[in-house]
Amino acid sequence: MRFVTYGSDDGDRAGVLNGELVHALPPGTTLLRLLGPELRQAGERALAEPDEVVALADVRLKAPIPRPPSIRDCLCFLDHMRGCLKATGASGVLEPTWYQIPAFYFANPATVVGPHDDVPISPGSAWFDFELEIGAVIGAAGRDLTPEQAVEHIAGYTLMCDWSARDLQGLESQLKIGQAKGKDGATTLGPWLVTPDELPFGPDGRLALHVRAEVNGALVGQGNTDAMDWSFGEVVSYASRGVELQPGDVFGSGTVPGCCLIEHLDFGDLAAFQGWLKDGDVVRLSAEGLGEVRQTVRASAAPHPLAPRADPAAVVRPPRRNPARSAAPYTRGLHQVGAGVWAWLLPDGGYGRSNAGLVAGDGASLLVDTLYDLPLTAEMLSGMRPITDPHPLSHAVLTHANGDHTHGGQLLPGSVRVVAAEGTAHEMRTEMAPELTTALQVMDLGPVLTPYLRDRFGGFDFGGIRLREPDHTFDRQLTLDVGGREVRLLNLGPAHTEADTVVHVPDAGVLFAGDLLFVGCTPIVWSGPIANWIAACDTMIGLDAPTVVPGHGPVTDPAGIRAVRDYLAHVVEQADAALAKGLDLREAMFAVDLAEYAGWLDAERVVVNVYQRYREIHPGQPEIDRFALFALMAEWQATRS
């Protein structure tokens, strides 16, 4: 039999499914109360003499047991755990304990949702995931059960989804006391509770169902439940040791391997990952004999912040301060830097603390770059409204593909024409999903790299970002008309990235240099060649713009461009000298003399710059991935602090 709970004007009703019709039990009857020997008899009475008959299509299904006494989520499929370990960079080899006892944790019965209910993203999470599971519902109380007895205590099975905030889960796992906010956001049960006699079992007694998981109609994973390493009988038996199980207690099977997002994450190929769940995504889970659940993911309000406690073991570092001279007040917010031209500044110019710009013409305006996350971009767009209300945004130029200049694009009005170099558009299409940057905030990457990354990236919110790709691309140069004003775009890359665009406003004498210019903070050569960046500096100087807005740091003039040019030349000189001495790459990185550039913020970026120079000289130099480069920067910084 298939039992359901549905909403009605008189409250929740229970019933038995007969084809596409629900045969209702008497008002006030709940499945929880009927579990046990009475369940089948009550179902037969409802089929023969229903209190009412309603079409399945006309009712709103609830979870069959809307508030279970308890939910134990087990891990019956060890391949799921192996996949999770591999996804986070581990070997996938399980500790021996996994083979000795079945694992489970207690989920939150108060957050059970029905099979078609919207599911809120856990507040503060950028890595929201689903897990397709099978739930076994206990029908009779029992204690100290054998695996054989435990199976007899199961009243039926239902589809189950364990909604998981992977970033919160990863952070909380470092406390080593179990699951918390990463797992208690929601648990789906439904659409119905199916008695065991209607389901197929394998010769070893394991439930044998084919399951399938989709997001927005695209297959994520599928599998079979008889691949369980630990059977339901075994996990229920284990849980009953010294404990009285109650009718309605739910046991989740754990994720059928492949039927979640995290197992498809590969830090070696982040561009291939389809991304975590976002507002509006539709998740469809189905299982042979158990039906399907179809739910829409919805955004949640931001969590109320909590101030961290003081760490008595932490090394107290002096406040970061950008040492560069500023041609305009270097404070957060909007500053006019020319006639009808403004810069939005975000001190101190370190990672993610980037600048943007605004050029206003007659009844139109152009935005230069967005910011690293949605809250920062929303603050900026609000701060620009005194200009953009009378001169609405018509264009937005993305100077390059890095997230601190592109992540806020979805907040732009649909009428805005987003423009970028073709190389920028290509990188945006092939780089990792924006929310994966959360890894820099939550992953435990060791005693040196973890605090370094959290210090540099901890203040941003990468949740809910959907990259807005350019509407129009160009190759080397493009001239735009913005309310009667000429704005010139020049792609001077590759240098910092695959393509690096500067925005020149000739009639105002202002140049927005993007990340071809860091002022008071250290440039980083993600792409190169360095010679091309030096040539780009010469081109920018040749534009003879008296006011220059860098991608990071305070407003400057051509002297600021010359300083970056000289820094890059110094790196080349240092790297070439190290190579001539026979130093290997690591030795060259750690022996570099930064001279007058040692006081620039984030001086450890010289590690990446030396690496790029060595690769230019010897193209066969082994490639180092971004995480490994960050580890080297963290180590370099630790040796100099």
Side-chain angles (χ1 to χ4, degrees):
M1 288 186 182
R2 293 179 295 169
F3 291 88
V4 299
T5 297
Y6 63 96
S8 75
D9 294 340
D10 300 323
D12 290 352
R13 296 287 303 268
V16 182
L17 196 59
N18 182 16
E20 295 300 311
L21 299 175
V22 177
H23 288 234
L25 293 158
T29 305
T30 66
L31 295 184
L32 181 60
R33 211 173 77 194
L34 290 175
L35 289 173
E38 295 182 22
L39 182 63
R40 175 165 291 278
Q41 296 172 5
E44 290 172 348
R45 285 197 302 270
L47 290 173
E49 300 177 11
D51 185 76
E52 69 174 8
V53 177
V54 292
L56 179 63
D58 293 337
V59 301
R60 176 175 170 259
L61 291 179
K62 312 288 283 291
I65 310 293
R67 286 293 176 268
S70 71
I71 303 174
R72 293 171 175 85
D73 202 353
C74 309
L75 207 149
C76 297
F77 301 91
L78 296 184
D79 265 349
H80 167 63
M81 191 62 197
R82 295 184 188 103
C84 291
L85 291 174
K86 290 176 182 176
T88 54
S91 67
V93 176
L94 299 179
E95 295 290 335
T97 309
W98 286 96
Y99 304 98
Q100 296 170 2
I101 55 174
F104 73 84
Y105 68 91
F106 282 97
N108 188 351
T111 56
V112 168
V113 294
H116 306 125
D117 292 342
D118 288 353
V119 177
I121 294 172
S122 296
S125 175
W127 290 11
F128 199 56
D129 197 359
F130 68 90
E131 294 187 300
L132 190 161
E133 307 188 19
I134 306 299
V137 179
I138 299 300
R143 178 189 183 99
D144 295 319
L145 304 172
T146 67
E148 294 75 21
Q149 291 171 331
V151 170
E152 297 301 317
H153 282 250
I154 296 174
Y157 299 88
T158 186
L159 257 176
M160 173 172 164
C161 183
D162 168 32
W163 300 92
S164 303
R166 299 298 188 188
D167 44 352
L168 305 184
Q169 184 185 7
L171 189 61
E172 291 169 339
S173 69
Q174 295 163 41
L175 300 174
K176 296 181 171 61
I177 59 171
Q179 308 289 349
K181 297 307 296 180
K183 284 286 192 178
D184 76 344
T187 300
T188 299
L189 299 175
W192 33 73
L193 177 69
V194 183
T195 54
D197 57 293
E198 293 213 7
L199 298 172
F201 290 81
D204 59 358
R206 282 168 166 75
L207 195 62
L209 308 178
H210 182 72
V211 302
R212 180 182 175 92
E214 300 175 359
V215 175
N216 298 328
L219 177 67
V220 173
Q222 57 187 329
N224 295 292
T225 61
D226 55 3
M228 285 182 172
D229 295 279
W230 295 100
S231 69
F232 274 120
E234 289 169 322
V235 296
V236 173
S237 170
Y238 180 68
S240 75
R241 293 179 181 179
V243 172
E244 184 82 10
L245 302 183
Q246 298 299 315
D249 285 347
V250 175
F251 283 79
S253 65
T255 310
V256 178
C259 294
C260 61
L261 294 174
I262 191 171
E263 289 185 55
H264 301 279
L265 176 63
D266 178 359
F267 275 94
D269 186 14
L270 291 174
F273 183 60
Q274 69 185 80
W276 303 102
L277 297 174
K278 299 183 181 69
D279 181 56
D281 284 343
V282 177
V283 177
R284 178 180 177 268
L285 310 179
S286 59
E288 173 188 4
L290 295 181
E292 72 172 45
V293 302
R294 183 183 179 89
Q295 298 176 272
T296 302
V297 173
R298 295 300 183 194
S300 294
H304 299 296
L306 300 176
R309 306 298 90 167
D311 181 356
V315 176
V316 179
R317 295 188 176 91
R320 286 169 56 93
R321 177 184 166 275
N322 191 302
R325 179 184 64 84
S326 180
Y330 190 38
T331 56
R332 178 171 177 152
L334 195 64
H335 300 267
Q336 188 160 8
V337 293
V341 182
W342 293 261
W344 183 273
L345 304 179
L346 192 58
D348 53 29
Y351 286 107
R353 292 164 178 83
S354 56
N355 301 327
L358 182 65
V359 182
D362 184 10
S365 60
L366 175 147
L367 179 70
V368 181
D369 286 335
T370 65
L371 299 179
Y372 207 10
D373 62 21
L374 301 183
L376 285 172
T377 302
E379 176 192 356
M380 177 182 73
L381 294 177
S382 176
M384 291 179 171
R385 284 193 61 185
I387 297 101
T388 58
D389 279 352
H391 307 283
L393 283 172
S394 58
H395 296 80
V397 175
L398 304 179
T399 60
H400 62 291
N402 285 173
D404 50 346
H405 298 259
T406 62
H407 279 178
Q410 74 194 71
L411 298 183
L412 298 174
S415 59
V416 174
R417 189 183 188 202
V418 179
V419 181
E422 177 54 41
T424 295
H426 175 261
E427 278 195 303
M428 290 176 68
R429 289 191 297 265
T430 56
E431 283 197 335
M432 68 180 186
E435 66 270 19
L436 287 177
T437 312
T438 302
L440 307 179
Q441 301 171 322
V442 302
M443 289 184 68
D444 184 359
L445 298 168
V448 176
L449 183 54
T450 299
Y452 172 82
L453 292 176
R454 291 185 186 175
D455 177 65
R456 299 302 197 267
F457 296 94
F460 303 103
D461 177 1
F462 299 113
I465 297 170
R466 293 181 185 270
L467 275 186
R468 179 169 172 182
E469 294 188 11
D471 303 305
H472 178 79
T473 62
F474 66 97
D475 182 19
R476 302 308 301 177
Q477 55 186 310
L478 179 69
T479 299
L480 298 175
D481 182 290
V482 180
R485 300 186 73 172
E486 179 186 80
V487 178
R488 298 175 59 207
L489 313 184
L490 301 173
N491 171 17
L492 304 181
H496 173 61
T497 60
E498 183 178 325
D500 295 285
T501 296
V502 299
V503 179
H504 185 210
V505 190
D507 67 359
V510 177
L511 175 69
F512 291 96
D515 278 10
L516 287 174
L517 192 59
F518 292 72
V519 173
C521 38
T522 306
I524 188 164
V525 187
W526 287 126
S527 183
I530 297 176
N532 204 39
W533 197 330
I534 292 173
C537 289
D538 291 336
T539 299
M540 289 191 291
I541 292 169
L543 293 174
D544 199 27
T547 301
V548 183
V549 180
H552 296 258
V555 176
T556 187
D557 53 28
I561 305 174
R562 283 190 284 272
V564 168
R565 187 193 191 284
D566 292 346
Y567 168 84
L568 294 169
H570 181 75
V571 169
V572 170
E573 179 184 309
Q574 287 282 305
D576 290 3
L579 189 62
K581 293 177 184 177
L583 300 185
D584 64 25
L585 175 59
R586 181 183 173 85
E587 290 170 333
M589 291 172 172
F590 284 81
V592 68
D593 177 9
L594 286 177
E596 68 264 35
Y597 309 106
W600 287 8
L601 292 178
D602 304 318
E604 68 276 4
R605 293 174 179 172
V606 72
V607 163
V608 178
N609 302 336
V610 170
Y611 161 68
Q612 292 293 358
R613 180 58 182 167
Y614 261 53
R615 291 195 74 206
E616 291 170 12
I617 300 171
H618 292 298
Q621 185 85 25
E623 188 172 354
I624 303 176
D625 66 42
R626 289 266 175 111
F627 269 100
L629 287 171
F630 273 119
L632 286 166
M633 285 191 277
E635 184 181 351
W636 191 99
Q637 192 265 345
T639 64
R640 304 286 178 116
S641 60

